[in-house]
């Protein structure tokens, strides 16, 4: 506990719970031990959302050439603070702005002119339009029992059966027996959920055929760099397959030449 400065270094984020406020002396009693992990997560999310709303409104204020804080404060009162008060139990201004990125009419209830609304909507779309994310998992699928490769194919089909137009699931071979399961969606949690369901379906199918299933990479959101690396691996495998096919063709031609030579010798 202390004044709020003790134990906290400048520029460092730390989580403390406020246990007492001394308004006369301006002191806060803080406790790090009383901080609940779930509270930390909720507070950080609340702070991040408020920061995003603040960035949107301040940038709009700059674009509209507001000359003093009084104009900016009035803008806040007519927009974010209005939503925060009216929709306090359902996400406030952040959720309304997020909804407006897809449904601009959400801003119609704000007491602002069309010119201001146009600038506000443009900035909201720039900051809050959902971005598609790619979720990926790597698994090993193999079967050395009687059904062999047919069991593997059936297992992969069981996973792909979960794919729909809204949830375009993909399964690609990296190198036997490793396969990558992926899906691209706006909702990260939904992406992880559907990839896990596909993994469960594949596992159930291959193990029913006395095959093996192992997770090489748990479902996670992959970056553009990860995606590029995966594509390079798939391209490399494709080139290797083409080279193998070419070698087989040359081998067949060589065998044909030997047969012709033998026939000439016999003659």
């Amino acid at each position: 506990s202390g004044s709020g400065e003790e134990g906290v270094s400048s520029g460092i984020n730390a989580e403390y719970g406020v246990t007492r406020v001394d308004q006369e002396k301006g002191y806060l009693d803080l406790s790090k031990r009383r901080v609940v992990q779930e509270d930390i997560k909720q507070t950080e999310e609340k702070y991040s959302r408020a920061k995003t709303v603040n960035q949107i409104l301040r940038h709009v204020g700059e674009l509209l050439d507001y000359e003093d804080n009084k104009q900016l404060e009035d803008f806040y009162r007519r927009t974010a603070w209005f939503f925060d008060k009216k929709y306090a139990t359902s996400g406030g201004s952040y959720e309304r702005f997020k909804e407006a990125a897809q449904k601009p009419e959400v801003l119609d209830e704000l007491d602002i002119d069309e010119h201001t609304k146009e600038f506000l909507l443009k900035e909201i779309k720039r900051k809050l339009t959902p971005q598609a994310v790619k979720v990926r998992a790597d698994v090993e699928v193999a079967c050395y029992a009687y059904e062999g490769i047919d069991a593997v194919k059936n297992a992969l089909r069981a996973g792909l059966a979960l794919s729909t137009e809204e949830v375009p699931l993909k399964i690609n071979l990296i190198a036997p027996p490793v396969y990558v399961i992926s899906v691209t969606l706006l909702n990260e949690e939904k992406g992880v959920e559907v990839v896990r369901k596909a993994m469960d379906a594949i596992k159930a199918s291959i193990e029913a055929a006395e095959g093996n299933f192992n997770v090489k990479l748990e479902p996670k959101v992959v970056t553009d760099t990860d995606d590029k690396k995966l594509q390079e691996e798939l391209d490399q495998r494709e080139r290797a397959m083409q080279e193998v096919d070419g070698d087989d063709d040359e081998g067949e031609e060589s065998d044909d030449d030997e047969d012709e030579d033998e026939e000439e010798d016999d003659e």
Side-chain angles (χ1 to χ4, degrees):
S1 65
S3 66
E5 295 180 357
E6 297 176 12
V8 181
S9 301
S10 178
I12 301 299
N13 290 329
E15 296 81 18
Y16 289 85
V18 178
T19 58
R20 189 173 70 88
V21 178
D22 188 328
Q23 294 183 347
E24 292 183 3
K25 296 181 179 180
Y27 285 157
L28 298 175
D29 280 349
L30 305 176
S31 172
K32 197 172 183 66
R33 288 179 300 177
R34 296 187 183 183
V35 177
V36 180
Q37 195 64 34
E38 185 62 28
D39 290 343
I40 294 175
K41 183 178 179 182
Q42 291 177 358
T43 302
E44 287 179 342
E45 184 177 1
K46 184 179 180 180
Y47 170 77
S48 177
R49 291 184 169 199
K51 184 177 179 181
T52 299
V53 170
N54 182 60
Q55 289 173 339
I56 290 172
L57 297 184
R58 282 195 168 275
H59 192 219
V60 172
E62 292 173 2
L63 294 173
L64 294 175
D65 296 323
Y66 286 168
E67 298 177 354
D68 53 45
N69 288 334
K70 188 175 181 180
Q71 285 180 291
L72 188 61
E73 183 177 337
D74 183 62
F75 183 44
Y76 270 75
R77 186 177 294 108
R78 293 169 182 270
T79 56
W81 295 349
F82 170 79
F83 279 148
D84 285 338
K85 184 177 181 179
K86 185 173 182 178
Y87 300 101
T89 60
S90 57
S93 57
Y94 179 85
E95 287 298 332
R96 298 290 76 71
F97 282 3
K98 188 176 178 182
E99 185 180 358
Q102 305 298 320
K103 300 178 181 178
E105 61 271 17
V106 169
L107 301 180
D108 289 346
E109 62 179 312
L110 296 179
D111 183 20
I112 55 177
D113 58 66
E114 290 300 319
H115 180 66
T116 301
K117 187 187 299 183
E118 180 183 342
F119 275 87
L120 176 58
L121 180 59
K122 184 176 180 180
E123 188 63 15
I124 286 174
K125 286 185 175 181
R126 189 179 73 85
K127 296 285 289 185
L128 293 177
T129 297
Q131 300 295 318
V133 296
K134 186 171 186 176
V135 177
R136 167 186 172 182
D138 294 356
V139 297
E140 287 185 350
V141 186
C143 182
Y144 305 104
Y146 177 74
E147 292 187 47
I149 189 63
D150 288 334
V152 173
K153 289 180 179 179
N154 290 335
L156 297 178
R157 290 192 188 102
L160 279 175
L162 298 174
S163 180
T164 64
E165 187 175 344
E166 294 76 22
V167 185
L169 196 68
K170 295 181 180 179
I171 299 179
N172 294 100
L173 171 66
I174 297 181
V178 181
Y179 296 83
V180 57
I181 307 169
S182 64
V183 67
T184 301
L185 293 174
L186 293 175
N187 188 316
E188 176 184 338
E189 293 183 0
K190 179 68 174 178
V192 171
E193 178 186 349
V194 71
V195 169
R196 285 198 181 280
K197 285 183 178 180
M199 292 167 65
D200 291 342
I202 293 170
K203 183 175 186 291
S205 178
I206 196 67
E207 290 184 349
E210 300 181 1
N212 303 320
F213 179 90
N214 292 303
V215 178
K216 298 286 290 183
L217 175 70
E218 291 287 349
K220 70 168 191 173
V221 173
V222 292
T223 63
D224 291 339
T225 302
D226 296 328
D227 212 20
K228 183 178 179 181
K229 184 178 179 182
L230 173 60
Q231 190 57 51
E232 288 174 352
E233 291 177 356
L234 296 175
D235 292 343
Q236 184 178 355
R237 177 181 174 275
E238 182 66 24
R239 288 194 296 271
M241 291 293 291
Q242 290 176 353
E243 289 174 2
V244 170
D245 291 340
D247 291 342
D248 291 342
D249 292 340
E250 290 177 4
E252 291 176 1
E253 291 177 3
S254 178
D255 291 341
D256 291 340
D257 291 341
E258 289 178 3
D259 291 340
E260 291 177 2
D261 290 341
E262 290 178 359
E263 289 177 2
E264 290 178 359
D265 290 341
D266 291 341
E267 291 176 358

